[in-house]
Amino acid sequence: MEEMEEELKCPVCGSFYREPIILPCSHNICQACARNILVQTPESESPQSRRASGSGVSDYDYLDLDKMSLYSEADSGYGSYGGFASAPTTPCQKSPNGVRVFPPAMPPPATHLSPALAPVPRNSCITCPQCHRSLILDDRGLRGFPKNRVLEGVIDRYQQSKAAALKCQLCEKAPKEATVMCEQCDVFYCDPCRLRCHPPRGPLAKHRLVPPAQGRVSRRLSPRKVSTCTDHELENHSMYCVQCKMPVCYQCLEEGKHSSHEVKALGAMWKLHKSQLSQALNGLSDRAKEAKEFLVQLRNMVQQIQENSVEFEACLVAQCDALIDALNRRKAQLLARVNKEHEHKLKVVRDQISHCTVKLRQTTGLMEYCLEVIKENDPSGFLQISDALIRRVHLTEDQWGKGTLTPRMTTDFDLSLDNSPLLQSIHQLDFVQMKIPATPILQLEECCTHNNSATLSWKQPPLSTVPAEGYILELDDGNGGQFREVYVGKETMCTVDGLHFNSTYNARIKAFNKTGVSQYSKTLVLQTSEDTDSEEQTVPFPVPSERLPLRRMSPFSSTLNLQPSFPRRSYFDFRSSPHQLSLHSSLQSLNAPGCNFETQPAPYSQLVDIKKLLAVAWFAFDPGSAHSDIIFSNDNLTVTCSSYDDRVVLGKTGFSKGVHYWELTVDRYDNHPDPAFGVARNNVMKDVMLGKDDKAWAMYVDNNRSWFMHNNSHTNRTEGGITKGATIGVLLDLNRKTLTFFINDEQQGPIAFENVEGLFFPAVSLNRNVQVSCRLLLRLPTGSELSPC
């Protein structure tokens, strides 16, 4: 039950609800806190004056966007807390749980009455601190709100289950521990609060004070208080109005307030709603059960990841050790070859040394013998052997001829170890080796642009054997900047919206799976539309038969270009070079007469010249980004809503430069709602009025007047509203960074916003009482001149 504690705390004081009341928006608030945030409205907007004027609006209708702005030209007060007329700009504070609230404009009068019985200022209103909806109180004040007895019972049971010390119910800041409980007042007091608020004299002297624990038991055993009708305090609720969704008494039925409504028995509806809540809780319980199972799965994944990591590390170490062992074996083999070469070289050299030594010894002996013969003095004896010795000397000299004294072996080893392939393999050693998907191929015949949107298509290579789990599409910013991811998924076709008009974008794609990411594809250069022809047409791309061979002509080719050539046709022109393969194309945008214009800078006053320069770029409302309550029709050109609350819908086309103008026609306008028109970022809040956050710039308008709103700030109230059949024009000049609004061809107020820049989408917020349509075949506003910035 501890997880339920935040549901039991007041959004203003941050403590457990004390005597909670139910606001018409179904949120709860303490009675004391409700009184603290009461503010006073102008006299002209009191319930009495409204009834006297015959407006017929219920006392609890939410304030219109202008109902608290009659004393302020700069702020309508919608969705924020106002103040007393003397201090309308009281700064806001934050409650303990972070909800923004306003302090009371003046201290409440000292009184011993309960907050519900104490008088409230005349013409007071209260704003829900959670949904920020405002409503005006009638003569009953806070007594007009029903008390949430069920919530009180839940809080009581929760506190009993926590067995916490009972706290004083009258301490303003940090509640002290209660010392007594008054059975008649049903209030827990600490000693200071008892002496101040419950003195033992006068009528209070007869009240019985008991210890807190005994008081809690007696409160638990006492019969549950029966809720009474807020309009007839002496009558208990006995029936349930299906249309108003509230319990009523028989006197309410007799007075005719609910005579035309469907009324059912209170007990039957109690059982029916309990059954419906139980069925809704079953679905929520299933989601919670799935979430718990998912958490168990994630925790098991953590353990499995740790186990797989240890196993994978061991496998990696084993694989690397195997590689090291193989390298050591190869090292031993190579060393054996070196040793063999070493022995061979030594043997050759040693053999040559031995042979040369023998011959040198023989030659030396012959030389010594010849020298001794030369010393002989007997001529006849010398001549007998001289011829033979001369021949031997010449023969021996010839034996020492060319090559004999040349080494038969060099000292260098003729082996050279080629380790570059192995080093390259080691450097390329990775977990993704042979497992990553192949690089995707862009299908040029299916790539095109439309207005400021680009559609790209790709596929896996035909011979790819590794499957891809998804693709990542990247585009630059249109100015040659860094690439950004615009799509991640399994599809092989993607349309990117909201690009700049007349800009060049670079696109590339890569594939991925569990192992890793592939290389990028060739870069595709896309040119968004700048053609001023408004005729909608689709021109197919003729693909020449030599396209595939041309794509393989150069291994250095890395860029495919889509560039403008002729304004009214699309074609392919292939040209190859040693380093570049280019694809030149004009991508004719599919323009139709539509809802916006684009032009170069020109003075606002030259409306005729502007019209000549404008480029028509058609758009419709976007169901993909709209709130689920928005209802589309007329090929997404007409929108309304199924909810009483304001919901936002955007156009499909975004604008980032140029001048753009579009108009919307009010097809239906009931009960004086406040639709808003303007521009917004793509991530604007969809469940509040346009302009409530800092992502939208808008004009909201009723049947009498209008305001400009951005970041919940209201400015420039202007007389003149809308009715059925009215036309609202929006002029977005991104060259001058301004936004201007028109109603029925007349400029509404001054230039609404300045210094607006970035990417903007046409935007509208409306509820079920409004239906608007985007106008085609536009004409510019006539009879007005727009002053330049």
Side-chain angles (χ1 to χ4, degrees):
M1 294 181 64
E2 295 180 356
E3 299 176 354
M4 182 183 63
E5 186 168 320
E6 289 301 321
E7 295 287 336
L8 308 180
K9 291 185 178 180
C10 175
V12 177
C13 63
S15 303
F16 288 109
Y17 286 103
R18 289 176 291 184
E19 299 185 5
I21 59 176
I22 306 175
L23 300 179
C25 58
S26 299
H27 292 123
N28 300 283
I29 189 173
C30 299
Q31 276 191 351
C33 297
R35 181 174 182 81
N36 288 337
I37 64 174
L38 285 176
V39 294
Q40 191 175 23
T41 60
E43 178 70 22
S44 60
E45 295 299 329
S46 65
Q48 294 82 356
S49 62
R50 295 172 68 187
R51 285 195 294 266
S53 62
S55 61
V57 181
S58 172
D59 292 344
Y60 293 112
D61 284 346
Y62 295 125
L63 291 177
D64 294 336
L65 299 188
D66 61 331
K67 293 303 186 283
M68 297 177 64
S69 63
L70 300 181
Y71 54 84
S72 172
E73 284 292 326
D75 186 7
S76 74
Y78 179 80
S80 60
Y81 295 96
F84 289 98
S86 60
T89 57
T90 306
C92 68
Q93 297 176 347
K94 284 189 176 182
S95 67
N97 62 351
V99 176
R100 295 175 56 203
V101 296
F102 273 73
M106 60 181 62
T111 177
H112 297 298
L113 298 177
S114 65
L117 299 177
V120 298
R122 186 179 181 184
N123 303 334
S124 296
C125 75
I126 187 172
T127 304
C128 176
Q130 291 182 286
C131 66
H132 305 294
R133 289 183 173 177
S134 302
L135 55 101
I136 298 176
L137 275 64
D138 60 4
D139 295 336
R140 295 171 297 172
L142 297 177
R143 292 183 292 104
F145 300 117
K147 295 182 179 180
N148 196 336
R149 302 296 186 188
V150 175
L151 181 58
E152 283 184 326
V154 173
I155 294 175
D156 188 39
R157 291 194 298 271
Y158 177 77
Q159 290 179 334
Q160 292 176 11
S161 66
K162 295 287 289 184
L166 294 174
K167 301 294 183 179
C168 176
Q169 294 179 284
L170 296 182
C171 291
E172 293 183 356
K173 294 184 179 179
K176 299 179 182 179
E177 185 174 351
T179 57
V180 295
M181 174 193 171
C182 177
E183 290 186 340
Q184 286 70 28
C185 298
D186 194 19
V187 176
F188 290 94
Y189 298 95
C190 62
D191 289 336
C193 292
R194 178 179 60 81
L195 295 176
R196 184 178 68 254
C197 303
H198 200 284
R201 58 183 178 274
L204 300 180
K206 298 181 180 180
H207 287 196
R208 182 187 178 190
L209 301 178
V210 296
Q214 181 181 348
R216 180 167 61 183
V217 173
S218 62
R219 172 187 286 184
R220 184 178 181 183
L221 296 178
S222 62
R224 179 68 59 85
K225 296 180 180 179
V226 179
S227 60
T228 58
C229 180
T230 56
D231 295 327
H232 312 93
E233 297 180 357
L234 300 179
E235 300 295 337
N236 296 334
H237 290 140
S238 58
M239 303 295 290
Y240 183 83
C241 180
V242 178
Q243 183 170 344
C244 298
K245 297 182 179 180
M246 60 180 297
V248 295
C249 66
Y250 80 95
Q251 195 168 347
C252 292
L253 301 178
E254 290 182 352
E255 291 178 355
K257 187 175 182 180
H258 303 272
S259 59
S260 61
H261 298 174
E262 181 183 0
V263 179
K264 293 186 177 181
L266 187 66
M269 293 303 297
W270 172 58
K271 294 181 180 179
L272 177 61
H273 281 206
K274 272 195 173 184
S275 175
Q276 293 177 352
L277 180 59
S278 299
Q279 293 177 359
L281 285 177
N282 288 336
L284 187 60
S285 176
D286 293 339
R287 301 290 85 77
K289 182 179 180 181
E290 292 176 0
K292 291 180 180 179
E293 294 175 353
F294 180 66
L295 288 175
V296 173
Q297 179 183 355
L298 291 180
R299 294 189 180 98
N300 293 336
M301 288 179 62
V302 171
Q303 182 178 359
Q304 189 65 32
I305 288 173
Q306 294 175 347
E307 296 175 356
N308 291 344
S309 175
V310 174
E311 181 181 353
F312 194 80
E313 287 179 3
C315 181
L316 175 63
V317 171
Q319 289 178 330
C320 292
D321 289 344
L323 293 176
I324 294 173
D325 292 340
L327 185 61
N328 287 332
R329 290 193 297 270
R330 188 59 178 168
K331 173 185 174 182
Q333 295 174 359
L334 295 176
L335 287 176
R337 289 185 58 184
V338 172
N339 292 332
K340 184 177 180 181
E341 184 70 13
H342 169 251
E343 296 297 334
H344 173 67
K345 285 181 175 290
L346 289 180
K347 182 178 182 302
V348 171
V349 173
R350 286 171 179 170
D351 290 345
Q352 191 174 8
I353 291 174
S354 177
H355 181 265
C356 187
T357 301
V358 172
K359 288 184 66 64
L360 180 60
R361 186 168 58 249
Q362 293 175 353
T363 301
T364 303
L366 179 60
M367 291 173 58
E368 292 177 354
Y369 175 70
C370 290
L371 290 175
E372 291 299 327
V373 171
I374 291 175
K375 294 178 182 179
E376 183 62 42
N377 294 326
D378 184 3
S380 59
F382 178 80
L383 293 174
Q384 287 179 350
I385 63 172
S386 61
D387 289 336
L389 288 177
I390 292 173
R391 288 193 300 271
R392 288 185 61 190
V393 170
H394 286 298
L395 180 60
T396 302
E397 183 181 1
D398 293 338
Q399 291 178 353
W400 291 100
K402 185 178 180 180
T404 305
L405 300 179
T406 301
R408 300 176 184 175
M409 186 62 64
T410 62
T411 58
D412 297 331
F413 283 79
D414 296 333
L415 301 176
S416 179
L417 182 63
D418 184 12
N419 62 349
S420 57
L422 181 58
L423 288 177
Q424 184 177 2
S425 299
I426 292 176
H427 292 155
Q428 294 178 351
L429 186 62
D430 204 344
F431 299 114
V432 300
Q433 202 74 350
M434 302 302 293
K435 294 181 180 179
I436 61 175
T439 303
I441 298 176
L442 287 165
Q443 300 191 87
L444 307 179
E445 64 276 10
E446 297 183 15
C447 298
C448 63
T449 60
H450 172 201
N451 281 342
N452 61 342
S453 301
T455 299
L456 297 100
S457 178
W458 57 89
K459 64 180 180 180
Q460 280 292 98
L463 301 179
S464 175
T465 58
V466 180
E469 295 183 359
Y471 303 89
I472 301 175
L473 176 62
E474 296 182 356
L475 260 71
D476 64 0
D477 58 0
N479 294 318
Q482 294 183 350
F483 281 89
R484 298 171 295 175
E485 291 185 3
V486 297
Y487 172 75
V488 178
K490 298 180 180 180
E491 301 296 332
T492 58
M493 179 175 288
C494 176
T495 298
V496 184
D497 297 319
L499 303 178
H500 298 295
F501 281 94
N502 191 22
S503 299
T504 301
Y505 288 87
N506 296 308
R508 62 186 184 183
I509 187 74
K510 59 182 178 180
F512 66 89
N513 58 13
K514 292 181 179 179
T515 305
V517 182
S518 72
Q519 299 293 325
Y520 285 105
S521 67
K522 298 179 185 296
T523 302
L524 186 67
V525 181
L526 299 166
Q527 176 70 39
T528 54
S529 175
E530 62 174 346
D531 188 13
T532 58
D533 184 12
S534 63
E535 181 181 1
E536 180 174 353
Q537 56 181 327
T538 303
V539 183
F541 291 94
V543 183
S545 58
E546 65 273 19
R547 182 170 67 89
L548 290 178
L550 282 174
R551 295 185 65 183
R552 299 191 182 102
M553 286 183 63
S554 172
F556 302 99
S557 174
S558 60
T559 304
L560 300 174
N561 295 327
L562 287 164
Q563 299 175 351
S565 55
F566 297 107
R568 296 184 184 273
R569 62 172 299 185
S570 300
Y571 72 100
F572 282 141
D573 179 20
F574 285 89
R575 295 183 296 180
S576 61
S577 66
H579 302 287
Q580 180 75 24
L581 174 63
S582 299
L583 170 63
H584 297 270
S585 173
S586 165
L587 294 174
Q588 171 70 32
S589 66
L590 305 179
N591 291 333
C595 306
N596 55 70
F597 297 91
E598 180 183 67
T599 183
Q600 301 298 324
Y604 274 138
S605 58
Q606 301 176 0
L607 294 181
V608 176
D609 295 336
I610 288 179
K611 188 172 182 179
K612 293 179 180 179
L613 295 174
L614 294 178
V616 178
W618 175 86
F619 78 83
F621 292 111
D622 183 14
S625 63
H627 193 277
S628 58
D629 292 340
I630 296 294
I631 301 174
F632 295 84
S633 60
N634 190 22
D635 293 332
N636 296 336
L637 293 177
T638 302
V639 291
T640 184
C641 182
S642 61
S643 172
Y644 284 106
D645 298 322
D646 292 312
R647 299 293 186 248
V648 173
V649 57
L650 302 180
K652 280 190 174 181
T653 303
F655 309 110
S656 57
K657 64 181 181 180
V659 180
H660 310 273
Y661 176 78
W662 62 93
E663 291 182 351
L664 299 110
T665 303
V666 180
D667 301 330
R668 180 168 50 81
Y669 188 75
D670 303 327
N671 300 326
H672 309 303
D674 305 297
F677 309 88
V679 296
R681 309 288 189 194
N682 193 36
N683 58 343
V684 66
M685 295 174 60
K686 306 297 194 310
D687 56 353
V688 296
M689 172 179 282
L690 194 66
K692 295 288 286 185
D693 61 1
D694 60 349
K695 303 296 190 302
W697 294 256
M699 174 188 73
Y700 70 89
V701 58
D702 59 12
N703 59 326
N704 293 320
R705 48 197 177 275
S706 66
W707 289 265
F708 302 143
M709 183 164 62
H710 169 65
N711 199 16
N712 204 20
S713 175
H714 311 254
T715 59
N716 298 100
R717 185 179 67 186
T718 304
E719 296 300 325
I722 60 174
T723 59
K724 179 180 178 181
T727 299
I728 293 88
V730 183
L731 181 59
L732 175 64
D733 187 346
L734 292 173
N735 296 329
R736 298 176 181 271
K737 303 179 181 179
T738 60
L739 182 63
T740 309
F741 296 95
F742 298 82
I743 296 181
N744 297 329
D745 292 343
E746 297 291 336
Q747 183 174 339
Q748 185 74 357
I751 294 177
F753 300 101
E754 298 180 346
N755 299 321
V756 292
E757 55 183 340
L759 177 63
F760 299 96
F761 291 83
V764 177
S765 70
L766 41 72
N767 62 12
R768 65 183 304 168
N769 294 320
V770 186
Q771 177 176 302
V772 299
S773 297
C774 181
R775 291 189 60 189
L776 304 180
L777 301 175
L778 293 181
R779 56 184 179 84
L780 287 171
T782 58
S784 63
E785 291 188 359
L786 304 180
S787 59
C789 300

